[in-house]
Amino acid sequence: MKSLNDKLQTLQTRLLESDEKVKIMIIGLGSVGVYLLDYLISTADPRMEIIVVGRNHDKMQSDVNIVRTAAAIRRQIRTTIHIEGNCDLEKVDNIAAVLKKWQPDFIVNSSRVYSGLKYGSISWSHLRAYGIWTPLSVKFAKNIMNAYEKADCNAISINTSYSDAVIPWLKSEGMAYFDFGSGNLNHLIPRMKFHIADKHSIDNLNDIDISLAVSHFHDVVISKEGQPEGLDILLDIKYKGENLAFDKEELLAACKIPMPVDQKRNMMNASSNFDIINSILTAIVEKRIVKIHTPGVDGEIGGYPFIIDGREKIIGYIDQSVFSLEEMRKANRLSIYFDGIENVENGILTYTDELIEKVEKEFGCELAKEIKLSDSNTTANFLIDKIINPNK
């Protein structure tokens, strides 16, 4: 597996020295995938080629038809779309054949083992934790990255589901792992910008620079309740390069804004995927620095600010200009503990004792303390049979 910077530099060379199209593969055309497809098409970029991959060709064709038609009405349809239907995500060889066929520049995994259900609708009210679902989130991610290695693929890869723990789990096993994760802390930052802009009469949200290092749990608890569950969040805010004073308690309270709980929420996750792709392309084409926030980046537990510097030979790295890597690692481990994850190391996911006790109390079943990546499918089936199906 090539390093992220090698892959970024290969893409940079192709973009600047040839007329070849940028190939973006979306694996799993559920609501996140459909929103992402729409956002990508809306760029009206003729150099963009999109390949959608999934298990149900007819459904995918229907979804592509509505997105293409809507884009045509807006006079934005300049992007080529291909459908690769009947790809069984249970089968590594099947996925590998698709990767070899298309040789994508980007892969976005937006697949779900159990579609049509927000896992958090079960876990939050019962457990106030989401980490229990990691074995479900890793199932297709593991298959895709095994296929990635088998196909000798060099695409820049993005994972959509619970990357805070999924990507570190893959890396800790010594296998190929996704370059970026989407969503989570990235959903929290705009809420913060809304408050800061209102408080300081700032017109352009893009002039507000936020650095945040926190895991999925605190995205949820701050968004839902406007409080950090007693943890001092690593947070820095600047306006046009200058430090901006703010009341952290007041800021977090202001992040509690009404949001839908159905699949419309996936507009945010799709936007996070779009932001990663667009930021990389922007850094290359405009030869400038772009900052994003992303969970699981470089196989790290939790979420981090990340720099993409395209001024010369493009490079990407975790931003340590405000907080050190060790500070951010510690903060993220404290944060993800609330989500039921004690550790991810040597191919083993370790649940917290608190989560195990809650699962037994709320659902009447016993969750193993440690889950090997090689046994994750067994645990995924356990979660479906013992918790999801009886409570959906």
Side-chain angles (χ1 to χ4, degrees), residues 127-339:
L127 307 173
R128 286 179 66 80
Y130 192 92
I132 184 176
W133 309 117
T134 314
L136 273 172
S137 297
V138 84
K139 183 175 181 178
F140 288 161
K142 177 175 62 174
N143 289 351
I144 289 167
M145 294 316 290
N146 277 328
Y148 185 99
E149 287 188 293
K150 193 164 190 173
D152 194 25
C153 186
N154 293 311
I156 297 163
S157 53
I158 305 169
N159 184 60
T160 294
S161 182
Y162 205 60
S163 296
D164 306 70
V166 164
I167 299 177
W169 202 2
L170 297 175
K171 183 179 181 180
S172 75
E173 180 71 3
M175 62 179 290
Y177 56 94
F178 291 87
D179 298 303
F180 297 99
S182 73
N184 301 350
L185 79 165
N186 212 28
H187 302 170
L188 197 55
I189 290 168
R191 299 166 184 257
M192 295 179 172
K193 287 188 176 183
F194 296 153
H195 173 74
I196 294 296
D198 288 343
K199 190 81 173 175
H200 296 273
S201 300
I202 296 171
D203 293 327
N204 187 354
L205 292 179
N206 294 324
D207 289 335
I208 303 170
D209 178 24
I210 292 180
S211 294
L212 176 67
V214 75
S215 82
H216 173 275
F217 174 84
H218 280 92
D219 161 50
V220 176
V221 76
I222 294 170
S223 298
K224 283 181 175 290
E225 301 174 8
Q227 56 89 18
E229 206 80 353
L231 188 70
D232 187 20
I233 302 298
L234 282 188
L235 176 62
D236 179 83
I237 303 177
K238 293 181 173 60
Y239 175 61
K240 293 185 176 180
E242 299 296 326
N243 288 327
L244 191 65
F246 60 95
D247 183 313
K248 188 179 289 186
E249 184 176 345
E250 178 184 58
L251 172 64
L252 298 184
C255 290
K256 183 184 176 183
I257 60 178
M259 285 282 185
V261 295
D262 60 13
Q263 292 188 343
K264 289 191 291 292
R265 287 183 60 86
N266 286 331
M267 289 182 185
M268 295 188 295
N269 207 331
S271 296
S272 295
N273 283 290
F274 176 86
D275 184 50
I276 294 168
I277 296 168
N278 188 60
S279 294
I280 291 170
L281 297 178
T282 297
I284 291 172
V285 173
E286 299 183 8
K287 298 182 179 181
R288 65 183 180 91
I289 293 176
V290 182
K291 178 180 174 181
I292 62 174
H293 281 80
T294 171
V297 66
D298 199 29
E300 295 284 349
I301 294 171
Y304 300 80
F306 192 83
I307 297 295
I308 303 164
D309 185 349
R311 291 175 297 178
E312 295 179 7
K313 183 178 287 188
I314 189 169
I315 57 171
Y317 54 89
I318 293 175
D319 182 8
Q320 299 181 56
S321 63
V322 178
F323 305 114
S324 72
L325 183 57
E326 287 308 311
E327 285 179 296
M328 292 187 283
R329 282 173 170 166
K330 181 179 178 181
N332 272 294
R333 285 180 174 273
L334 290 172
S335 176
I336 206 168
Y337 191 94
F338 286 101
D339 232 1

